[in-house]
Amino acid sequence: MKNIWTIAKREYDLYFISPVAYVIAFVMLFFLGIVFIFGVLSATQNPYGGGQTPDLRMVNVWFGYLLIFGAPALTMRLISDEIRMGTMELLLTAPIRDSELIIGKWLGALFFILSILALLLIYPIILNFFIVDPGIDQMLMLSSFLGMILLASTFLALGIGISAMFSNQIAAFFVTLFLFLGLWFLAGVPAFFITSGADFFRFLQFGTHYETIIGGTLNVSDVLYFVTLTVLGLFVGTTAVEMRRWN
Amino acid sequence: MIRVSGLTKQYGARRAIDNLTFEAEQGEVLGFLGPNGAGKTTTMRILTGYMPPTDGEAIVAGFDVVSESLEVRRRVGYLPETVPLYTDMTAFDYLKYMADLRNLPTAENRVDEVLEMVGLSDRGSGYIGNLSRGMRQRVGLAQALLHKPEVLILDEPTVGLDPNQVVDFRKLVRDIGKERTVLLSTHILSEAQHICDRVLIINKGKIIAEDTPENLQARLVGGEKVSLRVRGDADGLEKVISKVKGTKEVTMKDSNTAEFEFAPGNDIRPEVAKTIIKEGYDLLEMRAVGMSLEEIFLELTNTEVKKKK
C-alpha cells in the first residue's frame, strides 16, 4: 500500500512541473468558467422572465466532453514515458508489484483531476450563496460531483491501460482518444439498426450513464458500469506490464 | 550469493543465453566478460527479477528469481547499462524516491550517505538533466547502493567515468565485495583484473571460460608477453633476444620493436635487458603486454573450433 502512495505522490508532483498538465487545467477551468457564466446569465437575465433556476448541469456535461481530450493527454506518458526513458527497468526491478505501479500512477492522475474538481466547487458555492434562493439542491450537487469523479477515474484507468501497451506517447494519446470518442458517441449506434440487444449497445455508451448520474439519479448499474471499466483499465495496464517482462 | 543452473532465455527463434550454470559466493566479485550480444545483460536482467528465464533456475540471496521475485528484488542492487534516471528530478529527490519505494527508514540520511560514497555530496540539489555522463553514472550507482544490498549487479558500470573516477569506483566495489556478492559485466579485461576475484567469459550465450583473471591469462598465453623497443634500426635483435635462455616466440613487430614471451615464474626480463645493452643496442622501452579481451576471446573461440575438429 505504501508503494502505491509513493508512486502516486511522485506522479502528482510531476504534473505540477509539466506544461501539458497546466494547459489542460487552464483550458478546462477557463472553458467551464465561460459555460458557467453563460448558464447563470441565460437563467437570470431572461427578458421574458420565469427562466429556469440556474444549475450546474451544463458545466458538468462540458466537464465530460473536455475530459475526453484531457484524460488521454494526462495518461499518455504515464507508462510509455518510463519505457522510452528506460526507467521502466528501474521500476520493474524495485520491490513493487506491477499492480502497485499501475494503481499508483492512476491515483496520481486521479488526484490531479480531483484538484481541478476542488476548484470547480466554487460554482455551487457561488450559486448557493449569491444567486439561487433559498439555495441549490445539495443532493443533486453531490450526485454530479460523484459522477465527475467516476468518469475521471474510468477515463484515467483506461488511459493508463493503453499507455502501458505503447512506448510512444503520441500513439497512446490517439488510441485512448479514439476509444473515448467511440465509447461516448458510437457505442450506442448499432442500437438504431438492430432491435434485439439494442439495450446492450445503449448500455455500453459512456454518455448515457454519465448524464444519468449528473442529472441526480444514482443507479447501482451506472456506478457499477464506471467501477467495472476502471478495474478493467487497471487490469489491462497490469497485464501489459507483465507481458513486457516476457517480451 | 548467486546460484544459477541451466539458465536459458529464448527470444523468439534466438537463444540469448543457453544453459548457463555458475555460482558467486558472498564476499566475491565475479566479472562477466564477453562481446556485445553475448547475453550478459539478459542474464543480469533475469537475476534482478526484471524478466523470467525460459528455462532453468536462479537463486539470488537465497530466493528464487521467479517464484520469490519480490524478495530477490528487495535484496539486490542493480545498475542497468542504460543508467535509467529521471532527468527532471534532482539527484537527491531521485534517490529519495527510490529509497521510499524500498521503504527505507530514515531515507534522507541514507541518501546523504550514498551521495557521499559516490562523491556527489555537493551535487545533490542539482537536476540530473544537468549532470555530466560520469556523474549520472554515479547517481545510478548510488541508487544501487541505497538499501545496502546483499547482491550488487552492475552492468558496464565504468563506461563514461573519467580515469580518476574509475580508480575510486574500483576501490568502492572492492570494499563492497569484501562482505557482499558483486556481479559486474565489462568489456575491459584490465578492469576485470583490477576488481574481480573470478571471471566468466561468455560468448553466444554460453560460458566458454571461468577462472581467476591471472590464471586465465597464464593458461591462454602460456606465459607473459613483453614488448621492447630500441633506438634506430634493430637488425639482428630477434636473434639476440632468442639467445637468452627462457625466451619463447620472439617476433619483430616493427623495425625497432620486438615481442617475446616467457613462462610465468621465470622472469627473464633483467637478463634480456643486460644482453641487449651488451650487444650495443640502446634500450628505450620495455613493457608487459596485457592480452586484450579481443585476443583472449579469439584464442578461446579458436581453441573451441580446434576441439571440435
Side-chain angles (χ1 to χ4, degrees):
Chain A
M1 272 311 284
K2 195 165 169 292
N3 294 332
I4 294 178
W5 185 248
T6 305
I7 294 168
K9 188 176 172 304
R10 143 101 180 136
E11 285 309 323
Y12 183 73
D13 291 346
L14 200 57
Y15 281 123
F16 287 95
I17 54 168
S18 136
V20 174
Y22 276 108
V23 169
I24 293 167
F26 175 78
V27 169
M28 287 186 92
L29 292 172
F30 181 74
F31 201 83
L32 293 176
I34 292 176
V35 170
F36 175 71
I37 289 167
F38 272 97
V40 171
L41 287 181
S42 70
T44 55
Q45 309 291 314
N46 193 331
Y48 304 104
Q52 283 179 310
T53 320
D55 65 25
L56 286 171
R57 223 163 296 175
M58 278 316 285
V59 172
N60 299 339
V61 169
W62 276 100
F63 173 82
Y65 291 156
L66 290 172
L67 209 57
I68 292 178
F69 297 91
L74 286 176
T75 56
M76 63 181 181
R77 42 150 281 277
L78 283 178
I79 300 293
S80 56
D81 229 26
E82 304 272 4
I83 296 166
R84 186 182 59 79
M85 293 196 300
T87 42
M88 199 64 177
E89 191 161 357
L90 210 59
L91 295 173
L92 293 187
T93 54
I96 49 170
R97 290 184 179 82
D98 296 350
S99 54
E100 290 175 329
L101 172 66
I102 293 289
I103 294 172
K105 295 237 165 204
W106 165 73
L107 265 186
L110 187 59
F111 286 144
F112 183 75
I113 294 282
L114 290 184
S115 308
I116 295 181
L117 277 176
L119 293 175
L120 290 182
L121 275 174
I122 192 146
Y123 300 146
I125 291 170
I126 291 173
L127 281 186
N128 195 41
F129 291 106
F130 301 108
I131 295 170
V132 180
D133 196 44
I136 56 167
D137 183 343
Q138 308 267 343
M139 294 320 278
L140 173 64
M141 190 205 80
L142 282 180
S143 174
S144 59
F145 268 83
L146 179 68
M148 291 194 279
I149 293 171
L150 283 172
L151 183 74
S153 126
T154 307
F155 273 0
L156 296 173
L158 292 172
I160 194 170
I162 291 167
S163 175
M165 292 190 263
F166 291 90
S167 47
N168 178 327
Q169 45 174 311
I170 305 298
F173 175 81
F174 280 106
V175 171
T176 314
L177 179 64
F178 289 132
L179 176 75
F180 291 171
L181 288 173
L183 275 177
W184 196 289
F185 297 109
L186 296 178
V189 169
F192 292 116
F193 305 109
I194 50 172
T195 43
S196 64
D199 283 346
F200 171 74
F201 289 105
R202 249 179 250 125
F203 182 81
L204 277 185
Q205 211 159 339
F206 256 119
T208 339
H209 299 280
Y210 182 58
E211 277 154 31
T212 313
I213 297 185
I214 61 173
T217 315
L218 207 52
N219 292 325
V220 177
S221 72
D222 295 323
V223 174
L224 268 182
Y225 172 84
F226 287 116
V227 172
T228 309
L229 280 181
T230 302
V231 173
L232 180 74
L234 296 176
F235 178 75
V236 167
T238 307
T239 311
V241 170
E242 265 164 30
M243 279 174 58
R244 240 163 226 293
R245 288 180 186 274
W246 291 89
N247 280 37
Chain B
M1 184 277 300
I2 301 173
R3 267 182 236 299
V4 171
S5 65
L7 206 65
T8 300
K9 179 75 186 180
Q10 192 93 28
Y11 290 118
R14 196 171 73 82
R15 189 161 277 200
I17 55 171
D18 190 2
N19 206 10
L20 284 191
T21 301
F22 65 88
E23 290 185 7
E25 295 305 325
Q26 199 179 338
E28 183 177 37
V29 181
L30 180 65
F32 228 37
L33 275 144
N36 291 324
K40 298 181 302 250
T41 299
T42 301
T43 310
M44 291 183 155
R45 284 181 163 175
I46 293 171
L47 295 180
T48 51
Y50 177 72
M51 59 185 183
T54 312
D55 201 8
E57 191 188 47
I59 308 287
V60 175
F63 294 92
D64 186 279
V65 291
V66 179
S67 58
E68 296 157 311
S69 176
L70 282 179
E71 293 301 321
V72 169
R73 286 187 249 159
R74 272 188 198 115
R75 290 164 177 79
V76 172
Y78 177 39
L79 172 63
E81 190 181 2
T82 50
V83 197
L85 300 167
Y86 295 102
T87 46
D88 51 24
M89 288 176 119
T90 66
F92 185 91
D93 288 346
Y94 166 77
L95 292 170
K96 173 79 168 52
Y97 177 51
M98 297 318 288
D100 287 342
L101 281 181
R102 293 189 174 275
N103 288 323
L104 298 187
T106 64
E108 268 113 359
N109 294 339
R110 184 59 191 157
V111 169
D112 285 333
E113 273 173 44
V114 289
L115 278 173
E116 174 91 48
M117 281 171 89
V118 298
L120 283 178
S121 299
D122 53 334
R123 301 305 289 263
S125 57
Y127 281 97
I128 292 173
N130 297 336
L131 295 180
S132 70
R133 168 104 217 245
M135 287 179 183
R136 290 186 193 195
Q137 191 85 19
R138 287 187 278 162
V139 176
L141 183 64
Q143 173 272 128
L145 297 173
L146 269 174
H147 50 297
K148 300 179 182 164
E150 285 175 43
V151 176
L152 189 60
I153 295 183
L154 310 169
D155 199 352
E156 306 265 351
T158 53
V159 174
L161 296 184
D162 66 38
N164 280 332
Q165 294 165 353
V166 170
V167 172
D168 292 345
F169 169 80
R170 286 174 181 165
K171 190 172 167 296
L172 183 63
V173 171
R174 268 200 311 263
D175 285 348
I176 295 167
K178 278 175 197 154
E179 295 156 34
R180 302 158 204 275
T181 313
V182 181
L183 174 64
L184 69 90
S185 72
T186 174
H187 279 109
I188 309 154
L189 185 67
S190 72
E191 183 160 296
Q193 276 168 329
H194 279 104
I195 315 179
C196 303
D197 301 310
R198 208 150 51 84
V199 172
L200 290 179
I201 296 187
I202 71 170
N203 180 39
K204 292 182 187 154
K206 289 186 174 161
I207 297 177
I208 54 177
E210 177 181 356
D211 216 328
T212 62
E214 296 77 26
N215 285 351
L216 211 53
Q217 185 159 18
R219 201 177 86 203
L220 288 167
V221 189
E224 289 185 52
K225 200 186 237 181
V226 173
S227 159
L228 66 80
R229 194 156 64 87
V230 295
R231 192 195 302 274
D233 276 346
D235 302 323
L237 182 63
E238 200 174 344
K239 265 187 204 144
V240 172
I241 299 174
S242 307
K243 268 196 288 183
V244 180
K245 213 175 153 197
T247 49
K248 290 189 289 191
E249 300 215 15
V250 184
T251 47
M252 293 301 291
K253 285 278 155 185
D254 206 335
S255 65
N256 61 353
T257 310
E259 270 186 17
F260 66 95
E261 287 177 22
F262 57 89
N266 175 30
D267 197 342
I268 53 162
R269 276 176 291 185
E271 211 51 47
V272 172
K274 275 180 214 156
T275 313
I276 290 172
I277 291 166
K278 223 189 316 178
E279 294 287 335
Y281 295 102
D282 290 337
L283 180 58
L284 294 180
E285 180 190 313
M286 189 189 264
R287 63 185 167 88
V289 182
M291 220 182 178
S292 68
L293 174 62
E294 288 73 23
E295 285 172 299
I296 288 204
F297 188 69
L298 278 174
E299 191 87 18
L300 283 168
T301 38
N302 284 341
T303 44
E304 270 205 346
V305 173
K306 275 180 209 156
K307 259 187 232 158
K308 270 179 199 159
K309 279 177 185 165

